[in-house]
Structure formats: C-alpha cells, structure tokens
Amino acid sequence: MSTPKVPWFPGASCHITARGNHRNDIFKDGEDFQYYLTLIEEALKYFEYDEYEIICYCLMDNHVHILVKTKDKAPGQFIGRVNAMYAKYFNKKYNYIGHLFQDRYHPEFIKSDEQMLEASRYIHLNPIRANMVERPEEYQWSSYGMYIGKKKEKLITTKEVLSYFQKINKRELYKNFVESAIRNKASL
C-alpha cells in the first residue's frame, strides 16, 4: 500500500520536520551535520529550475526543521532526495540497518505572515528548548547566525522574513523578536 501524497499548492511555504526513527539520533558528529547541509546545497542545485528556497533551518541531534518556499513543485521531491541520500550515507558510515527516519516527513503549511515569523522563531529556538545552548546564535547547525548577521548567508534566503521588519536595523529587530520568547519563557 502506498503512502498518500501530501497536499500542496504552487507557491506554498512549508515547515518541514523529519525525525529519526524511534526518536534516535540521526547526527552523531559534526561531519554528519555538515554532510546533511551539503546535501541540501546539492539538492538546491539539482532542482534549480524548480526554484526551491530555504527560508531557515535547524538540525538537531534526532530531527531536522527546514522552512522551505516552493514555486512549481511540492517539497516532497526536494526533502525526499536529501533524506534518502543522507540515510544511505548514515547507514554505510554506522553500519545501520533499517529506516533512519520515522516517516517520510511532516509538513506544516504556512498560511500567513504571522505564521511565517512564528515558524522561523520556533525553528531558531529549538536548541534553547532542548537546553543545548544559552543563546540561539551559539548553536552551530542553525541558520540563526545568518539572520542576525554573525555568519555569511549560505543556503538560505532571509529576504522574506526580514522584509517584515523596518529597513533600518532589520537584523537587530529580528533578533529582538526571536529572543523576546526567551525572556518570556512561556512562549518557548
């Protein structure tokens, strides 16, 4: 029996989550995290005519969050390619047998500007919620440092999310927006 198709519409933005099977770790060292990012970069080139854009991401030990904007094709082919190639790499490297990922992937479609901002903040605060770091820019496997100008932008496109803020100091305003949830622990 085949898995039902995920509903999708052209131009949709989608918060994709992919979790390790049985919540097991899918990244065991820095090389694994880096390889997954390399696969994202390769998939962006492979599907360049489909014009996928990565809005933001956070790779955690046992799951990934990727906010992707689509144009003419559903995100399934993109994330499917990345996850399938990563699973082959992981299985070979660690002599692992069986499914690496729990399911195909979980999509949450973005329906408003507010939801886009909240999804971005949620993704960037994942390492804080997991008590891995004190400040989100300390986490190496997230796009947050690029959003606040601490790292050179690579793989991602910040223009849509940052367009919600004033032209002057938009990176600082985004940082304040994200980190206001840390100060108000209830919204974590």
Side-chain angles (χ1 to χ4, degrees):
M1 183 164 152
S2 67
T3 307
K5 279 191 163 190
V6 174
W8 168 81
F9 55 92
S13 293
C14 183
H15 174 188
I16 292 174
T17 309
R19 184 175 304 283
N21 201 19
H22 304 290
R23 295 182 184 235
N24 291 335
D25 286 353
I26 56 175
F27 303 107
K28 295 185 181 275
D29 61 24
E31 180 183 40
D32 296 347
F33 285 102
Q34 188 57 56
Y35 188 69
Y36 194 89
L37 292 174
T38 300
L39 289 174
I40 290 175
E41 183 176 22
E42 186 276 332
L44 287 169
K45 289 176 186 167
Y46 185 84
F47 294 115
E48 74 178 303
Y49 298 110
D50 297 322
E51 298 181 38
Y52 291 105
E53 289 182 20
I54 305 299
I55 305 298
C56 62
Y57 67 84
C58 186
L59 310 182
M60 302 293 285
D61 292 343
N62 70 352
H63 66 284
V64 300
H65 291 276
I66 303 171
L67 184 53
V68 63
K69 184 174 184 75
T70 66
K71 184 174 182 182
D72 296 322
K73 299 278 174 102
Q77 69 177 5
F78 178 85
I79 194 67
R81 180 180 177 85
V82 171
N83 286 353
M85 292 178 80
Y86 183 75
K88 285 179 186 175
Y89 155 85
F90 186 94
N91 289 353
K92 184 175 182 179
K93 180 177 178 180
Y94 296 107
N95 199 27
Y96 187 81
I97 298 171
H99 296 285
L100 178 61
F101 292 96
Q102 179 176 307
D103 292 311
R104 182 169 44 184
Y105 68 95
H106 174 74
E108 180 182 342
F109 289 95
I110 306 299
K111 298 177 181 98
S112 68
D113 294 344
E114 180 182 13
Q115 189 180 9
M116 176 69 82
L117 280 169
E118 287 300 327
S120 174
R121 173 162 58 185
Y122 177 85
I123 289 168
H124 286 141
L125 289 178
N126 232 254
I128 299 288
R129 279 190 296 284
N131 295 314
M132 297 172 87
V133 292
E134 302 249 337
R135 297 177 10 224
E137 65 263 26
E138 294 171 357
Y139 192 70
Q140 182 178 1
W141 308 111
S142 160
S143 58
Y144 186 70
M146 294 175 236
Y147 266 84
I148 64 170
K150 298 276 186 198
K151 291 182 182 176
K152 184 180 178 192
E153 201 168 300
K154 184 178 179 184
L155 297 180
I156 66 163
T157 305
T158 61
K159 68 180 185 257
E160 183 167 356
V161 169
L162 293 180
S163 74
Y164 301 126
F165 299 93
Q166 295 176 355
K167 290 186 194 276
I168 300 172
N169 299 327
K170 58 187 166 188
R171 292 188 188 280
E172 186 64 33
L173 291 170
Y174 180 76
K175 183 179 194 298
N176 289 337
F177 167 73
V178 169
E179 295 181 15
S180 68
I182 298 169
R183 294 186 291 276
N184 179 13
K185 294 259 188 205
S187 48
L188 277 178

